[in-house]
Amino acid sequence: FYGQLRAAMEGPGGDVLSQGILYGLLGELIRDCRDNGEAPRPTTSKEAYVRKAVGYIESSYSQKISIQDIARSVGLDRTYLSGLFKDQFGVSLQAFLLEYRMKRAAVLLHNLELSVSDVSRSVGYTDPFLFSKMFKKTIGCSPRSYREQQISSGS
């Protein structure tokens, strides 16, 4: 293609001919992509919004973020976005955020060098008491008990 492109540019009407060659090249690339089964599965805009919100949560869970912040980051109303989460995950956006933070906290509690307060701050809670309450509500035991269970089970 490069040789054809160079030759087309040197003759009369080169810009139009070179453009045609480039379109042909693009067509070949698209056909090759489809033939190899690499064409991406089309997603709905709802799935794209949820994926974008999950990405925002994954990158910002350690900060004090609100449902409004998440909704604003994807450009949707908070109630509508929460409904999309309910449809896709079976839980509200608020519940998804809480579960995500507590799962991350559970991983961090394996590190014995981190205090419960350190873990609390690492997942976006400035109040360790509120963090402990939410952890117990989500995981089923206090952060200290969880840590002790992990130590005794050798995990």
Side-chain angles (χ1 to χ4, degrees):
F1 280 106
Y2 181 72
Q4 289 177 329
L5 191 58
R6 231 182 123 112
M9 288 297 292
E10 292 173 3
D15 55 342
V16 175
L17 287 172
S18 61
Q19 206 171 24
I21 292 168
L22 287 174
Y23 281 127
L25 176 61
L26 286 173
E28 291 291 323
L29 289 172
I30 291 169
R31 186 173 343 149
D32 285 347
C33 184
R34 285 194 181 139
D35 290 346
N36 293 332
E38 296 173 12
R41 183 182 135 260
T43 58
T44 66
S45 60
K46 291 178 182 181
E47 289 172 339
Y49 283 124
V50 169
R51 205 171 34 253
K52 189 173 179 185
V54 169
Y56 182 83
I57 290 168
E58 290 172 344
S59 66
S60 305
Y61 73 92
S62 63
Q63 301 161 18
K64 189 173 171 79
I65 57 170
S66 67
I67 301 307
Q68 185 63 41
D69 295 331
I70 299 167
R72 195 176 298 120
S73 78
V74 298
L76 292 178
D77 174 73
R78 59 182 280 164
T79 305
Y80 180 71
L81 182 60
S82 191
L84 294 181
F85 268 76
K86 189 85 167 162
D87 291 345
Q88 187 155 345
F89 298 112
V91 295
S92 68
L93 177 53
Q94 183 74 44
F96 183 91
L97 176 60
L98 177 64
E99 286 179 29
Y100 186 85
R101 283 178 159 158
M102 295 306 120
K103 287 177 184 175
R104 297 294 306 155
V107 171
L108 291 172
L109 285 167
H110 286 88
N111 183 345
L112 301 179
E113 294 179 14
L114 296 175
S115 69
V116 172
S117 292
D118 291 337
V119 172
S120 169
R121 285 188 297 278
S122 295
V123 295
Y125 282 82
T126 53
D127 180 355
F129 297 110
L130 178 59
F131 165 73
S132 292
K133 180 181 174 185
M134 295 292 105
F135 190 90
K136 185 171 186 173
K137 177 183 175 187
T138 306
I139 304 297
C141 62
S142 72
R144 290 193 201 291
S145 298
Y146 179 84
R147 178 175 269 170
E148 290 167 4
Q149 289 172 10
Q150 298 308 305
I151 292 169
S152 66
S153 69
S155 295

